[in-house]
Amino acid sequence: MWRLRLPVTPLWGAALLLGLCLQLMAQDPIQNRKPFTVELVLPQTPVKAGEDFTVIATVTSNLRECMVVQASLQASQDLTFPYGNFNYTACLCDGDRRNYYWDVTANRTTKVTVMAEATEEKNICTEDLAVRPLSNRVDSQTKTLNVTA
């Protein structure tokens, strides 16, 4: 039987252990965590065709740093915006939660999608301290809006 002997000193052992720990930390699931989440709120009961109602989007920050987030409601042929379909831009910091509102009219049952995206716009956050996440820069949610005649 052959025995392999490697000259491992305490310094070498510490370096190998440190390298292993760094590798394990790089694979941490926190890297895949979303920097923010968006939630779409539609009326609980069906709306009447042609009747105005309000769509609410809530964007919540999950980062410690500030970031610029733009929220928008995706237009479709089945939705009309009597007062305009606006894109909202705001600075979200640690744990911030913002609500955005759109007045909408629908004539039939349709899908409604809200999208939020981290952008690089200047002069939104104080002193331009905003970061832009390297991944997961966009979040969206789609729900069905029930419309009755």
Side-chain angles (χ1 to χ4, degrees):
M1 174 185 275
W2 296 90
R3 190 190 295 187
L4 179 64
R5 296 189 75 194
L6 294 175
V8 178
T9 64
L11 184 59
W12 250 126
L16 289 173
L17 184 61
L18 176 64
L20 178 62
C21 289
L22 288 174
Q23 183 65 27
L24 291 174
M25 284 177 49
Q27 297 173 1
D28 193 355
I30 290 177
Q31 298 292 332
N32 295 324
R33 186 180 70 186
K34 291 182 177 184
F36 59 90
T37 54
V38 64
E39 181 185 354
L40 177 63
V41 180
L42 297 176
Q44 295 289 329
T45 59
V47 297
K48 292 183 182 176
E51 181 178 89
D52 286 358
F53 61 95
T54 301
V55 173
I56 304 169
T58 302
V59 181
T60 306
S61 171
N62 299 324
L63 286 184
R64 290 185 185 133
E65 300 85 5
C66 296
M67 66 187 141
V68 178
V69 176
Q70 185 176 52
S72 60
L73 195 63
Q74 302 301 304
S76 77
Q77 295 175 345
D78 300 321
L79 297 177
T80 56
F81 300 87
Y83 306 106
N85 183 6
F86 300 102
N87 292 336
Y88 295 99
T89 305
C91 181
L92 291 180
C93 296
D94 186 20
D96 279 354
R97 185 180 176 114
R98 294 278 172 101
N99 291 325
Y100 303 103
Y101 303 88
W102 291 267
D103 290 321
V104 179
T105 304
N107 293 318
R108 63 181 177 185
T109 298
T110 186
K111 299 240 183 243
V112 178
T113 301
V114 66
M115 185 175 81
E117 178 180 8
T119 66
E120 290 186 49
E121 276 193 57
K122 300 287 183 196
N123 302 318
I124 303 294
C125 290
T126 325
E127 301 175 22
D128 272 340
L129 296 177
V131 298
R132 183 169 187 220
L134 295 175
S135 61
N136 297 320
R137 287 184 218 145
V138 177
D139 191 24
S140 64
Q141 188 173 47
T142 301
K143 290 185 177 180
T144 300
L145 172 71
N146 293 313
V147 178
T148 60

